[in-house]
Amino acid sequence: MSLSIGIIGAGRMGRHHHSAITNYGAQVIAVHDIQLEAAQELASLADTEVGTDVLSEFFDIEMDGVVITTPPPIRLEPIRIACERGIPMMVEKPPALNIVDGSKCLEYILNADVIAAVGFQLRYHPLYEKLKTLIANQTIHLVRTVCTINYYLTFQMPTWFLQSEISGGPLAEQAVHVLDCARYVMGNPKPAQAHALTVKNMALDRTEFDAENAIQMTYELDNGVFGTHMNHCGTEEFCFDVEVVGPHLRLQANMADNAIRGYLNGEKIDEPANPKNSIDLDKTGAWLRAIETGDRTLIRSPYIDALETLTLIDAAIKSRNTGKFIRVEEL
């Protein structure tokens, strides 16, 4: 019998999850969105009659899991209700708007003991799984990440992506992916402190947008690794790039090239990513398989660990242009 899944948030991520759920062999049986038309449109695509803008009506339907793709400020209530009903959940990134909200959500999740995954898809990408394997027994001293995207050139994105009050800004909406990936490939060290320099010097006539377009960030992890992150959301070409440096290695994993290049222990490395990861499941499939089997180890980004990445984001956001590092313990 196939799993029955509900989706909260009928935007492009909701549609993406509908496709992934269907491809897995499960079915979407209910959709919620604050825009009734959007909910009904995705419900029609999913061939279900339940498309609603009333959260209580959505949760009246029996379901095996719920995907939450709302903007970050709208997470507490659906997570609370899902936990009250013991429903496993997949929460899109970031796990919450800030660590205060995230901690409240985690309390609900731990008390209910439900399966709760966060949608950090790079943890399932074969490229970064391969990088993680290559450096598993190596000493790393430095990590560098880069994220570029064209939002301030094309404006082909939901408006709220560039509104900091809703998205958290580029650090929470974009950088979070590769910063989380850096933690993943090194075995999930916890953030210790962070600092960021930021500026909005593009599209100055678009007063509805306040998110920075250029960010340079420096941070420290509790395994002694120092990291830097460069983010720009007004650049022509998309890039996710992770580079690690140690005494006997320098390896760069670039998603655009889908390859790892550099050197390791005296040998040149120039290898494409594997076609599939070792579990042959993406983030949605791993979550659905965990619901079916009860095997939570399939989930590479449980909510409790995703909050560690959120502390790194929160510290950087609070430090912006102050000239000071913010320690995670101060959050």
Side-chain angles (χ1 to χ4, degrees):
M1 184 176 179
S2 67
L3 295 172
S4 298
I5 306 297
I7 296 177
I8 300 177
R12 65 182 187 181
M13 285 309 300
R15 295 190 295 273
H16 168 81
H17 279 283
H18 165 257
S19 178
I21 289 164
T22 302
N23 289 340
Y24 182 84
Q27 59 179 336
V28 173
I29 60 164
V31 180
H32 174 275
D33 196 280
I34 58 173
Q35 301 293 332
L36 180 59
E37 184 178 350
Q40 291 177 337
E41 183 178 336
L42 183 54
S44 176
L45 183 64
D47 196 25
T48 177
E49 295 181 1
V50 185
T52 179
D53 58 355
V54 180
L55 204 55
S56 58
E57 290 182 3
F58 172 86
F59 277 111
D60 277 343
I61 307 300
E62 288 191 16
M63 58 188 72
D64 299 306
V66 59
V67 176
I68 301 173
T69 73
T70 61
I74 313 171
R75 296 279 171 79
L76 274 169
E77 189 68 1
I79 288 176
R80 180 186 65 80
I81 298 174
C83 288
E84 286 177 352
R85 287 160 172 73
I87 302 172
M89 67 194 77
M90 161 68 77
V91 182
E92 262 308 323
K93 61 80 194 170
L97 180 63
N98 53 55
I99 197 62
V100 173
D101 286 358
S103 296
K104 291 177 182 176
C105 292
L106 180 61
E107 184 178 357
Y108 296 143
I109 290 165
L110 293 179
N111 287 340
D113 192 28
V114 294
I115 292 173
V118 173
F120 284 126
Q121 77 264 19
L122 298 188
R123 289 179 174 239
Y124 298 88
H125 197 291
L127 178 68
Y128 299 111
E129 183 184 65
K130 188 168 192 173
L131 179 61
K132 179 180 174 68
T133 300
L134 284 172
I135 68 172
N137 298 310
Q138 303 296 321
T139 298
I140 306 296
H141 289 157
L142 301 171
V143 61
R144 179 190 64 89
T145 54
V146 178
C147 173
T148 62
I149 201 163
N150 63 2
Y151 291 165
Y152 270 118
L153 292 177
T154 66
F155 299 99
Q156 298 298 309
M157 78 288 159
T159 300
W160 63 268
F161 278 18
L162 294 179
Q163 296 174 335
S164 295
E165 186 177 356
I166 303 175
S167 69
L171 284 167
E173 196 277 317
Q174 302 155 34
V176 66
H177 272 301
V178 281
L179 290 167
D180 180 77
C181 186
R183 290 188 58 241
Y184 166 69
V185 300
M186 289 187 289
N188 298 322
K190 296 180 180 181
Q193 61 178 339
H195 170 260
L197 297 170
T198 71
V199 67
K200 180 183 184 293
N201 54 13
M202 295 182 71
L204 298 180
D205 59 318
R206 300 293 295 269
T207 56
E208 72 271 33
F209 300 129
D210 67 342
E212 311 94 332
N213 55 279
I215 297 170
Q216 185 68 54
M217 176 179 162
T218 305
Y219 61 96
E220 179 186 5
L221 300 171
D222 72 353
N223 62 349
V225 171
F226 297 144
T228 60
H229 174 74
M230 183 176 73
N231 210 97
H232 199 278
C233 52
T235 301
E236 288 183 0
E237 295 189 8
F238 172 77
C239 173
F240 275 163
D241 193 2
V242 178
E243 181 178 14
V244 290
V245 177
H248 304 290
L249 65 92
R250 183 178 180 185
L251 296 173
Q252 181 180 4
N254 186 297
M255 182 179 283
D257 297 334
N258 201 30
I260 299 173
R261 296 189 174 95
Y263 61 87
L264 174 63
N265 295 326
E267 294 185 8
K268 182 179 179 181
I269 302 294
D270 189 353
E271 298 182 13
N274 298 323
K276 298 179 179 179
N277 65 25
S278 60
I279 59 174
D280 195 19
L281 294 167
D282 61 12
K283 63 180 181 181
T284 309
W287 173 67
L288 293 169
R289 185 71 54 81
I291 295 172
E292 286 181 325
T293 65
D295 183 2
R296 300 190 186 197
T297 64
L298 291 166
I299 296 172
R300 295 179 175 179
S301 185
Y303 198 93
I304 189 170
D305 181 74
L307 283 194
E308 297 292 350
T309 298
L310 187 60
T311 64
L312 180 59
I313 298 298
D314 249 18
I317 288 174
K318 286 180 170 59
S319 79
R320 288 176 298 184
N321 304 323
T322 64
K324 299 179 180 179
F325 275 83
I326 301 296
R327 296 198 66 82
V328 165
E329 62 193 24
E330 299 172 8
L331 297 176

